[in-house]
Amino acid sequence: MQRWFFLEDPENAAIRSGKGDAESSSGSVTSFQYTPRHWLFRVRVPQLKKDESVCVVGDLKELGAWVPEKCVALQQEDDTDIWSAVVEIPDKRKIEYRYCVCVIIESGIQVIVRSWETNVKPRGIDYSEKSPTMEDEVQTYGFYANSERFDRGWLSKETVVQLKLGSDPLTIWRPKYAGRQVFIKVTPINLKRHASNLPISMSDALDESLSDTQDGVENAKFSFTEVAALLDDDPSFKPQGQFGTAIKKDDMLTFQSTVVFPQNTAYLFDFYIYSSRADESEPPYHAGFSYLLPTALQSSEGNIILPVTSTKHRPLGELRVDYLVIGAMPNYKCDLSISYARHWKKTRAGLDVGHRGSGSSFKNKVQNCAEVRENTIASLKNAIDHGADFVEFDVQLSKDLVPIIYHDFHVCISMKKKRDIEDQDMLEIPLKELTLEQLRLLKVYHLTEGKSKNQRFFDEDLEDHQPFPTLQHVLDTLNPHVGFNIEIKWTMKLADGSYELYHPTDLNLYLDTILEVAMKHGGERRIIFSCFNPDICQVIRLKQNKYPVMFLTIGESEIYPRYADPRCWSIKAASQYATMIEILGINVHTEDLLRHPSLVQLAKELNLVIFCWGDENADPATIKFLKELGLHGVIYDKIHEYSSKEVKESVFLLEAKGSQKELIQGCQRVQL
């Protein structure tokens, strides 16, 4: 029997061009007849959680064409940890596939990818290979080609709500609980009754909590909550214990709930305390509870104080919670074809990264400034022409939501005085309050220029020297063989309580807008996202599955003011956090490394990639020393002066030339 098989042209295929579902329809489709064959997919996957299933997905229609919603569900063999299915696939064709662990809410419509195999090269079936049988060795999830690699999924339609408890978040008023360790457990609960569409009232919710075992509370369907402690030896997210997790002094506890219906989901906090006379085998008792209703989550991020009520409905204390609501990108859908999120070649080290292109051009000492305006096409091109492997630049949104390249949150605009038209005043204004057209038309100065009232650059007539190039323009025009280290600008709270920028754009809207441009125009370019704000790093990691993320940190510094967030206070804390959220690595301040070079090894022992940045890098001897420490990348100014490269080309261009040379030699051997 023959069947028609539809094959997408690889030159136009979305999975090869980096385009999402929205653009995949532009690819041409070729049809031909094929003889089907039956293939047994069989894999061992230990320790699945509630509602999880094992699936297979691949590069052809029968295997879902890499689309999560169309993956093929396998069946569990009796009560074992082996899952299998026989799938009809075309004969005489190479096939690529991966296994994934999913929650299938509605087949073909909504599937949550909990984890998936993320080796850069997928599993393969060759032309003449025969299907395995039930007697053959079972495949192991995540392990093939002599390596083991699988990662968490990303957000498709579901929502992640993070509830963070910082230092001393809980206040309990009863003296008898003073000094006693408290355990907290968070449970997402459904606010809709079976017989009614009306949300449950607070009084009803309190009544349901009279039982210590919470038998009257209906857990939110398909929800899943994990917890992570920043200072744990293993800071990664794990399932909660039966009686929750202990609150420890000076630690940060993060509860992460994945929910499908966030508008109908509340969060129940249960508080457990061990009796002062209890022995080791005696469980704690239920001391009280709090409810966080979805109506309290008014924005993408914020903080709230919750009342803690005893099981007898008496006031017991209060809980201070920081929350973060993370939604999926609405206009771009990732697939399962490939991920570079935690992929880094072991041989790749000591990369040269051009800071803001050719360097900062507005430092206090003019002699240390780059001679080309920073974060412009000209500056980026200059660094690329002198062998930069990556160029680092800053991205933020204009008022009309265009991702643009600029470092500072504020700019200065010249204003003429009414009485004296010869002099000028400078008006400092947040960049987010100006549209892209206004930024390009107004006489705009850098903050340093505004304070000194001395314009440093007079290049308005040169297109490549214009400030505020768009991210799309940079992605579309610069050499594709050079990597981009895209720093996302986002406000941070300082230790003194002030903010770098007040009233920012909504976090989800902000990141969705930037990420969609990068995903649609990134092509095959190497891209790394980074940010000083640890929450932004987490959100980028969850919104997309292709590009890696690095956590930027100042650490212990005598130069820069301290941030309020403890995740930013040291390289160790940054390393712990990067491990917790499963990102590629950290990007640290060189000042910290020069004091304690052993911190490089700390990060590498956690399998993290580590870059560094700072004014101290403006010295060839320091750059050499940092590379000898094993830094994967060094970010520095004036790459045209300080780079020691003999061949002024990026490592990625050299690799591409090497691959092309090998291909030509292979073709020549075939002809001979």
Side-chain angles (χ1 to χ4, degrees):
M1 181 178 65
Q2 289 187 328
R3 295 183 183 275
W4 285 98
F5 173 62
F6 295 90
L7 176 64
E8 194 172 14
D9 183 350
E11 300 241 336
N12 296 314
I15 60 173
R16 298 304 182 197
S17 66
K19 296 178 181 178
D21 290 353
E23 296 189 14
S24 63
S25 60
S26 62
S28 61
V29 175
T30 303
S31 64
F32 56 88
Q33 287 183 317
Y34 74 90
T35 302
R37 56 175 167 166
H38 294 87
W39 194 271
L40 173 64
F41 293 95
R42 194 163 182 253
V43 63
R44 186 185 304 278
V45 187
Q47 299 178 335
L48 290 183
K49 302 177 181 67
K50 182 184 177 183
D51 299 324
E52 290 182 344
S53 299
V54 180
C55 303
V56 63
V57 65
D59 64 344
L60 66 160
K61 180 181 177 182
E62 288 81 353
L63 293 177
W66 297 125
V67 178
E69 289 78 12
K70 298 180 181 179
C71 61
V72 178
L74 308 184
Q75 300 299 316
Q76 187 176 11
E77 297 181 5
D78 298 326
D79 292 328
T80 69
D81 58 2
I82 298 175
W83 295 68
S84 62
V86 174
V87 181
E88 190 177 89
I89 60 174
D91 197 8
K92 307 302 182 185
R93 177 187 184 273
K94 284 188 175 181
I95 294 168
E96 294 182 338
Y97 69 97
R98 302 179 189 272
Y99 291 113
C100 52
V101 175
C102 302
V103 176
I104 302 174
I105 298 173
E106 189 172 356
S107 182
I109 297 177
Q110 187 167 6
V111 171
I112 298 174
V113 179
R114 284 274 173 82
S115 72
W116 61 302
E117 297 181 323
T118 50
N119 273 335
V120 171
K121 186 175 177 58
R123 296 178 186 265
I125 300 173
D126 212 341
Y127 291 105
S128 57
E129 196 173 348
K130 293 184 178 179
S131 172
T133 67
M134 296 294 287
E135 285 71 38
D136 290 327
E137 184 178 354
V138 181
Q139 294 176 308
T140 301
Y141 183 66
F143 184 83
Y144 62 97
N146 296 318
S147 66
E148 184 177 18
R149 188 182 297 271
F150 58 89
D151 283 301
R152 288 172 179 262
W154 68 100
L155 299 179
S156 53
K157 294 181 180 179
E158 69 276 23
T159 298
V160 163
V161 176
Q162 280 197 353
L163 304 170
K164 294 172 289 184
L165 309 182
S167 180
D168 298 323
L170 178 64
T171 300
I172 293 184
W173 299 321
R174 289 194 181 180
K176 74 173 186 176
Y177 293 145
R180 305 262 286 279
Q181 192 165 61
V182 180
F183 292 72
I184 295 183
K185 186 173 184 178
V186 174
T187 305
I189 60 171
N190 185 16
L191 288 187
K192 285 195 174 181
R193 293 185 179 277
H194 293 294
S196 172
N197 290 326
L198 297 175
I200 192 171
S201 68
M202 177 56 80
S203 60
D204 288 338
L206 293 176
D207 289 339
E208 287 182 348
S209 297
L210 283 175
S211 169
D212 285 358
T213 59
Q214 300 300 320
D215 290 333
V217 173
E218 181 183 340
N219 290 355
K221 197 172 183 181
F222 302 116
S223 67
F224 181 69
T225 301
E226 296 175 294
V227 63
L230 184 64
L231 300 184
D232 267 5
D233 292 336
D234 177 10
S236 59
F237 281 97
K238 310 176 192 68
Q240 300 180 91
Q242 181 181 0
F243 301 109
T245 305
I247 301 176
K248 297 178 181 178
K249 183 175 175 59
D250 299 325
D251 201 353
M252 172 176 278
L253 209 57
T254 303
F255 294 90
Q256 179 167 286
S257 296
T258 302
V259 297
V260 179
F261 307 106
Q263 68 277 14
N264 298 324
T265 304
Y267 302 88
L268 168 64
F269 291 79
D270 283 307
F271 300 88
Y272 296 94
I273 300 177
Y274 281 91
S275 169
S276 58
R277 300 175 182 176
D279 57 36
E280 292 183 359
S281 62
E282 187 175 339
Y285 62 90
H286 189 203
F289 55 88
S290 292
Y291 278 96
L292 173 60
L293 299 181
T295 51
L297 306 178
Q298 292 294 323
S299 59
S300 296
E301 59 176 345
N303 51 74
I304 192 169
I305 297 178
L306 299 176
V308 179
T309 306
S310 75
T311 55
K312 296 182 179 179
H313 289 188
R314 294 175 181 173
L316 183 62
E318 60 185 23
L319 180 70
R320 292 172 294 282
V321 180
D322 293 318
Y323 69 83
L324 180 64
V325 181
I326 310 169
M329 285 191 289
N331 301 317
Y332 187 91
K333 303 302 178 187
C334 297
D335 61 31
L336 290 147
S337 59
I338 199 167
S339 173
Y340 303 104
R342 288 204 289 176
H343 176 74
W344 190 267
K345 284 187 177 180
K346 292 182 179 180
T347 57
R348 192 167 287 157
L351 300 187
D352 297 288
V353 185
H355 182 227
R356 305 185 198 175
S358 296
S360 302
S361 51
F362 298 104
K363 295 182 178 179
N364 293 329
K365 295 181 179 179
V366 176
Q367 62 269 27
N368 294 334
C369 292
E371 296 177 359
V372 183
R373 184 190 290 270
E374 65 185 45
N375 279 324
T376 59
I377 296 293
S379 182
L380 296 168
K381 281 183 176 178
N382 185 54
I384 292 170
D385 291 342
H386 288 86
D389 300 308
F390 278 87
V391 284
E392 183 270 350
F393 54 84
D394 311 275
V395 173
Q396 52 188 309
L397 290 187
S398 61
K399 184 178 181 179
D400 51 343
L401 302 181
V402 179
I404 56 175
I405 314 302
Y406 199 76
H407 177 267
D408 294 85
F409 289 112
H410 299 79
V411 294
C412 287
I413 298 175
S414 62
M415 304 292 289
K416 290 184 178 180
K417 289 184 177 179
K418 290 184 177 180
R419 296 182 180 178
D420 187 354
I421 61 172
E422 298 298 324
D423 292 334
Q424 291 180 325
D425 281 338
M426 292 291 182
L427 177 64
E428 185 175 318
I429 188 169
L431 184 146
K432 71 180 183 70
E433 299 300 334
L434 297 169
T435 66
L436 177 60
E437 184 179 5
Q438 289 171 334
L439 287 166
R440 287 176 169 172
L441 292 177
L442 291 172
K443 185 69 173 177
V444 176
Y445 297 84
H446 185 272
L447 291 178
T448 303
E449 294 176 301
K451 291 172 183 176
S452 65
K453 296 193 176 181
N454 263 324
Q455 189 172 2
R456 174 155 162 70
F457 293 99
F458 298 89
D459 46 24
E460 286 86 351
D461 57 329
L462 302 173
E463 183 62 31
D464 282 358
H465 291 255
Q466 295 295 308
F468 316 114
T470 67
L471 175 60
Q472 180 177 335
H473 182 56
V474 169
L475 287 166
D476 289 344
T477 60
L478 293 184
N479 189 325
H481 294 294
V482 175
F484 282 0
N485 181 180
I486 302 176
E487 180 187 337
I488 305 296
K489 301 295 293 184
W490 188 258
T491 184
M492 289 284 288
K493 183 179 180 181
L494 299 169
D496 63 6
S498 63
Y499 284 84
E500 294 173 319
L501 176 71
Y502 289 91
H503 312 300
T505 308
D506 177 79
L507 183 147
N508 277 289
L509 174 62
Y510 187 91
L511 288 178
D512 288 341
T513 306
I514 294 173
L515 290 175
E516 285 166 10
V517 171
M519 300 299 287
K520 291 177 180 178
H521 297 272
E524 298 302 315
R525 187 188 300 278
R526 278 79 171 179
I527 293 176
I528 294 174
F529 291 106
S530 63
C531 188
F532 281 103
N533 188 299
D535 287 339
I536 295 294
C537 295
Q538 168 78 102
V539 178
I540 297 173
R541 165 66 181 85
L542 288 174
K543 281 183 177 288
Q544 55 86 43
N545 68 351
K546 184 176 182 180
Y547 296 121
V549 183
M550 298 184 75
F551 178 27
L552 266 165
T553 181
I554 293 173
E556 300 177 32
S557 175
E558 297 177 1
I559 301 172
Y560 294 98
R562 195 182 203 190
Y563 288 131
D565 196 315
R567 294 171 289 183
C568 307
W569 289 353
S570 67
I571 290 178
K572 181 179 180 181
S575 299
Q576 291 283 98
Y577 182 66
T579 302
M580 176 193 295
I581 64 174
E582 299 182 4
I583 59 176
L584 180 68
I586 57 175
N587 193 341
V588 306
H589 191 205
T590 301
E591 175 193 3
D592 227 353
L593 290 182
L594 295 180
R595 278 196 306 264
H596 305 291
S598 62
L599 292 171
V600 175
Q601 194 58 32
L602 168 68
K604 295 178 78 172
E605 287 174 356
L606 293 171
N607 295 318
L608 298 174
V609 171
I610 179 169
F611 283 22
C612 70
W613 61 278
D615 289 344
E616 296 85 355
N617 294 358
D619 173 61
T622 301
I623 295 170
K624 181 181 178 183
F625 172 72
L626 292 167
K627 290 182 178 181
E628 289 172 348
L629 286 178
L631 269 294
H632 296 92
V634 181
I635 303 173
Y636 59 95
D637 294 338
K638 297 187 176 182
I639 210 164
H640 58 283
E641 287 187 32
Y642 302 138
S643 173
S644 60
K645 279 187 175 181
E646 293 183 5
V647 179
K648 304 299 183 183
E649 293 180 342
S650 77
V651 63
F652 307 116
L653 179 57
L654 293 174
E655 288 177 1
K657 287 182 176 180
S659 298
Q660 187 178 33
K661 185 178 179 180
E662 290 177 4
L663 181 62
I664 293 173
Q665 290 174 344
C667 292
Q668 290 173 342
R669 284 195 296 270
V670 171
Q671 290 174 352
L672 291 173

